[in-house]
Amino acid sequence: MPTTQQLLLLLTLFWALQVAASWVQYRHYRGAMGEATRRWSDGYLGVGQSRRRLRGGAVALLEVDPALRVRRLQLLGGISIFARFKPQEGAEGLTLQQLAAQAEGSTPQALAIRQAIAQVEAVHRRQTECAAEAPAAPAAPEGQAAPQPQPQAA
C-alpha cells in the first residue's frame, strides 16, 4: 500500500509534467501568433477558441486583409499538447460572410472560426467608427502650406 509520501511525490511529479506540457503548448501558440503578425503589415488578425472538457477544443487563427477577405485560416484542435496549427486550404480569398456560412454547426472548429470572425468584425467596426469621428485637418489656401499643430506649453 502506498504511503502518503509516495502519493505526494507522485502528485508533484504529475503537476510538474503538466506545467512542462503547458509551457510547450504556450510556446507553440506564441510562435504561431508571432508569425501571423509578422506576415502582413496591414489587415486584421482574429483568434477564436472553443473549449470542451473531454472531447478537446479548437483554436482558430484568422488573417484578413483590409478589404475583409481571408488571407489565411489556421486551426488547432484536439486535446493533445502535440496538436499544431494547420492551414485550412480553400479559405483564402473568401469574404467573412462566405467563411461564416461555411462554418455552420456546433463543432469546436466552427465555433472557433465564428468567434475569430466576430473579433475581426468588431475591430474593423471600431476602427471605421474612430476614423469617421476624427476631425478632418483644415485645408490650406491655395499656394500655402497646411498649418502645423503647435505643441502645448507645459
Side-chain angles (χ1 to χ4, degrees):
M1 178 174 265
T3 66
T4 305
Q5 280 184 330
Q6 290 172 329
L7 288 175
L8 285 174
L9 180 64
L10 189 61
L11 182 64
T12 303
L13 180 66
F14 282 131
W15 177 77
L17 185 61
Q18 184 207 2
V19 168
S22 296
W23 181 75
V24 167
Q25 195 169 34
Y26 171 76
R27 285 200 42 176
H28 171 68
Y29 177 81
R30 288 298 307 153
M33 286 289 291
E35 181 182 314
T37 56
R38 285 187 300 272
R39 190 173 300 137
W40 311 104
S41 62
D42 62 350
Y44 304 94
L45 178 66
V47 179
Q49 66 177 355
S50 172
R51 292 186 181 185
R52 291 191 176 174
R53 286 197 177 255
L54 298 176
R55 291 184 281 168
V59 177
L61 190 58
L62 178 63
E63 301 169 36
V64 180
D65 69 13
L68 299 182
R69 289 202 169 271
V70 175
R71 285 181 169 158
R72 187 170 185 185
L73 172 64
Q74 299 180 75
L75 289 176
L76 179 143
I79 57 174
S80 170
I81 63 159
F82 302 111
R84 296 290 182 244
F85 279 103
K86 295 181 180 99
Q88 301 301 301
E89 303 301 326
E92 292 85 8
L94 295 177
T95 65
L96 293 182
Q97 293 78 17
Q98 291 169 330
L99 182 61
Q102 287 185 0
E104 292 180 351
S106 60
T107 64
Q109 293 82 4
L111 295 172
I113 291 170
R114 288 197 305 268
Q115 190 179 57
I117 291 170
Q119 188 180 58
V120 166
E121 288 174 336
V123 170
H124 179 260
R125 188 172 35 257
R126 275 194 307 264
Q127 283 186 348
T128 55
E129 286 171 0
C130 288
E133 292 174 4
E142 198 170 314
Q144 293 182 2
Q148 298 296 318
Q150 299 298 319
Q152 297 288 332

